[in-house]
Amino acid sequence: MEKTIQNANSKVPPSEGFREAYILHLADSSLILSHRNSEWCGHGPVLEQDIAITNISLDLLGLARNYYQYAAELIGDTDEDKLAYLRTEREFKNLLLVEQPNIDWAQTILRQYLFSQFQFFLQEQLQHNDDKKLAAIAEKSQKETRYHIRWSGEWVIRLGNGTEESHDRMINAINNLWGYTGEMFIPVEYEKEAGIDYALIKNQWEEKINEVFSEATLSTVDSTKKTFMHTGGKTGTHTENLGFILTDLQYLQRTYPGVEW
Amino acid sequence: MPVQDLEKKFQEKIDNEVKIEPKDWMPEAYRKTNLRQISQHAHSEVVGMLPEGNWITRAPSLKRKAILLAKVQDEAGHGLYLYSAAETLGMGRDEMINDLHSGKAKYSSIFNYPTLTWADIGAIGWLVDGAAIMNQVMLTRTSYGPYARAMVRICKEESFHQRQGFESLLVLSRGSKEQKEMCQDAINRWWWPALMMFGPKDSESSHSEQSMLWKIKRKSNDELRQNFVDMIAEQVKVLGMTLPDPDLKWNEQRKHYDFGEINWEEFWNVVKGNGPCNKQRLDARRKAHDEGKWVREAALAYAAKKAAERKDAA
């Protein structure tokens, strides 16, 4: 049983098991990436892309809500908002990758691409999961995820093979984010019972990333070379970014506890 | 055909409720007035994303966050249709955006007010979108075809936004003491600026007369403002809140609400750039545009490379 750190305001009962933890992990990653993308709303490089990134933010928020609602059902005596708004930095289980700051358009679309491509192969397996509800949520999300991959992948190619500046910015984004990708494929305790073949996802993911990077004239991944990978997000040890995200996200629920909005 | 005849034919069309289309002959002043108004409207949608966008990351529930994100995204979409409608009058979107950033083109002054609390998001939906709808419903019958058609689509979404804003305030008005106070405070701050959205009094309005003759406008500023006051004065009762106007009262003779005098000094001050957020709003738009420059350039460079490859392959 995974130990969860309890806090006075937390509405997550200590009975949270592997399945609940796993679903919360999926929910948290979607919510935090949605949050990051939503920071672009009104500030995008061109109006059409402002709309596109907000769309992806909305899709991820919708997916997060499906997962939180399901987790709430399993945990009992809680709801989607309590799970999103009243858990602490040490209780959130999202991937470190998704909490990394926007920095610029290159880092934003690369973060999306690296995540969506992973999410796609993960959901491909999840949609056959013994947990029918989880399988249904994953299946429903695939159509959106395909669009996210196409949109963000096209941007990786466009910026990689655009101007010298955009190419340099892509390299910078890869340098910033690459060390956070390994975590996706290293299962923690609660993931081991989910019946996912992470080695397979890693191979599929690398193959796709290499295809897109090569079209983008960016150096491809040499999987035989060992690069240090940061871990910890999935068990609640985050980068300093998450505390600020939650401060924003949870401000009203924390300031005025227990009311309807 | 001599110009006088063209003008006569043009006015006949308008009098007979035939829409003017981009390829039709139109007086230069008609084209300019529409271009000014439609581009200003487009800019208002885009600048209007900022005050509400301010609360997206802090929305108090996942449902409210989804509603707010979708709403701000709708506004970006409205901006797009309106820029397209304005482009039919012969100016490109880049040029319009440059005019916004240089201060040559205006946008609705309402967006120069700050969103200080969560209740402001509800108040904007209810009062600001409510005021905008009054104007926009009229514009669905405006004489310039592309503008009228854009408005039909926009109005549907705007009335949805207004209901969502009202519903969000309704929850606050039935909530805790702090929520009720937050709700009343937001109404107090947004009421007068919302009334100012209808523009100067008819007696002071410089563009009104010709615009009415050309059916660009079909109701006067004061008429629209009165309709708005009549609507909101009733709706505020459902919230159990009040409007910050001691002179507001039902006039049985006129069958309308009487209301107090708008602070026109404040109105002109904000128009002239001295509102609480004029600088911040324009700075934010310029920053997004400037920081997006390399992205737009990269997209163009990539498209050019691909086009060259296709040409070589052919």
Side-chain angles (χ1 to χ4, degrees), chain A residues 86-118:
Chain A
L86 299 176
R87 281 154 64 239
T88 65
E89 300 89 320
R90 303 283 280 116
E91 292 170 306
F92 262 72
K93 295 172 180 48
N94 60 279
L95 293 164
L96 297 175
L97 175 69
V98 299
E99 68 196 43
Q100 298 313 305
N102 292 343
I103 309 271
D104 63 9
W105 194 247
Q107 173 139 328
T108 301
I109 56 97
L110 180 66
R111 186 183 58 201
Q112 188 63 49
Y113 179 63
L114 297 172
F115 176 78
S116 292
Q117 194 65 79
F118 164 75

Side-chain angles (χ1 to χ4, degrees), chain B residues 100 102-113 264-283 286:
Chain B
L100 170 71
S102 72
K104 189 178 159 198
K106 299 280 181 224
Y107 56 89
S108 178
S109 276
I110 192 76
F111 303 118
N112 292 318
Y113 289 87
W264 294 108
E265 197 186 323
E266 176 181 327
F267 172 84
W268 288 114
N269 243 322
V270 182
V271 170
K272 283 173 189 149
N274 301 319
C277 299
N278 292 60
K279 185 175 183 310
Q280 288 84 338
R281 299 296 183 237
L282 265 190
D283 284 352
R286 285 193 203 108

Side-chain angles (χ1 to χ4, degrees), chain B residues 228-284:
Chain B
F228 178 70
V229 172
D230 291 346
M231 177 179 85
I232 298 296
E234 288 301 317
Q235 291 177 354
V236 75
K237 294 177 189 167
V238 182
L239 292 177
M241 298 280 145
T242 56
L243 297 174
D245 179 359
D247 297 325
L248 184 82
K249 61 170 184 294
W250 178 250
N251 182 326
E252 187 53 37
Q253 238 177 351
R254 290 202 310 125
K255 300 285 180 206
H256 283 297
Y257 275 91
D258 290 337
F259 57 99
E261 188 66 23
I262 287 169
N263 181 346
W264 294 108
E265 197 186 323
E266 176 181 327
F267 172 84
W268 288 114
N269 243 322
V270 182
V271 170
K272 283 173 189 149
N274 301 319
C277 299
N278 292 60
K279 185 175 183 310
Q280 288 84 338
R281 299 296 183 237
L282 265 190
D283 284 352

Side-chain angles (χ1 to χ4, degrees), chain A residues 34-224:
Chain A
S34 165
H35 184 101
R36 278 300 191 210
N37 286 339
S38 80
E39 292 171 358
W40 276 103
C41 185
H43 307 276
V46 65
L47 208 43
E48 286 83 347
Q49 300 307 325
D50 204 305
I51 293 173
I53 192 89
T54 306
N55 216 20
I56 293 174
S57 178
L58 269 166
D59 287 345
L60 290 170
L61 178 57
L63 179 60
R65 292 183 69 186
N66 285 334
Y67 284 135
Y68 282 129
Q69 285 162 10
Y70 182 37
E73 237 178 84
L74 293 173
I75 295 167
D77 192 30
T78 186
D79 60 37
E80 56 169 359
D81 287 330
K82 285 175 183 155
L83 292 172
Y85 288 88
L86 299 176
R87 281 154 64 239
T88 65
E89 300 89 320
R90 303 283 280 116
E91 292 170 306
F92 262 72
K93 295 172 180 48
N94 60 279
L95 293 164
L96 297 175
L97 175 69
V98 299
E99 68 196 43
Q100 298 313 305
N102 292 343
I103 309 271
D104 63 9
W105 194 247
Q107 173 139 328
T108 301
I109 56 97
L110 180 66
R111 186 183 58 201
Q112 188 63 49
Y113 179 63
L114 297 172
F115 176 78
S116 292
Q117 194 65 79
F118 164 75
Q119 195 190 24
F120 177 78
F121 291 123
L122 175 69
Q123 287 177 168
E124 223 175 33
Q125 293 188 34
L126 275 179
Q127 57 189 330
H128 304 296
N129 201 275
D130 291 341
D131 183 331
K132 293 296 164 222
K133 187 112 188 210
L134 188 58
I137 296 172
E139 191 187 348
K140 197 168 153 255
S141 162
Q142 276 307 62
K143 196 180 156 202
E144 291 169 355
T145 307
R146 268 194 205 98
Y147 163 73
H148 303 166
I149 293 173
R150 201 177 72 219
W151 179 85
S152 58
E154 281 171 3
W155 269 112
V156 171
I157 294 166
R158 210 175 276 138
L159 296 184
N161 191 14
T163 60
E164 203 182 319
E165 179 177 5
S166 69
H167 184 83
D168 289 349
R169 283 177 185 262
M170 279 309 297
I171 289 171
N172 190 40
I174 294 171
N175 290 338
N176 286 344
L177 295 179
W178 195 253
Y180 297 106
T181 57
E183 189 188 22
M184 298 191 283
F185 314 107
I186 306 169
V188 298
E189 277 304 303
Y190 60 73
E191 285 176 292
K192 286 179 185 160
E193 285 189 8
I196 304 293
D197 182 347
Y198 284 93
L200 173 65
I201 298 181
K202 188 168 189 276
N203 286 336
Q204 292 171 317
W205 182 85
E206 277 180 357
E207 195 186 321
K208 280 286 169 194
I209 298 291
N210 276 335
E211 255 175 57
V212 167
F213 276 21
S214 136
E215 204 182 332
T217 69
L218 296 162
S219 0
T220 49
V221 188
D222 182 359
S223 55
T224 57

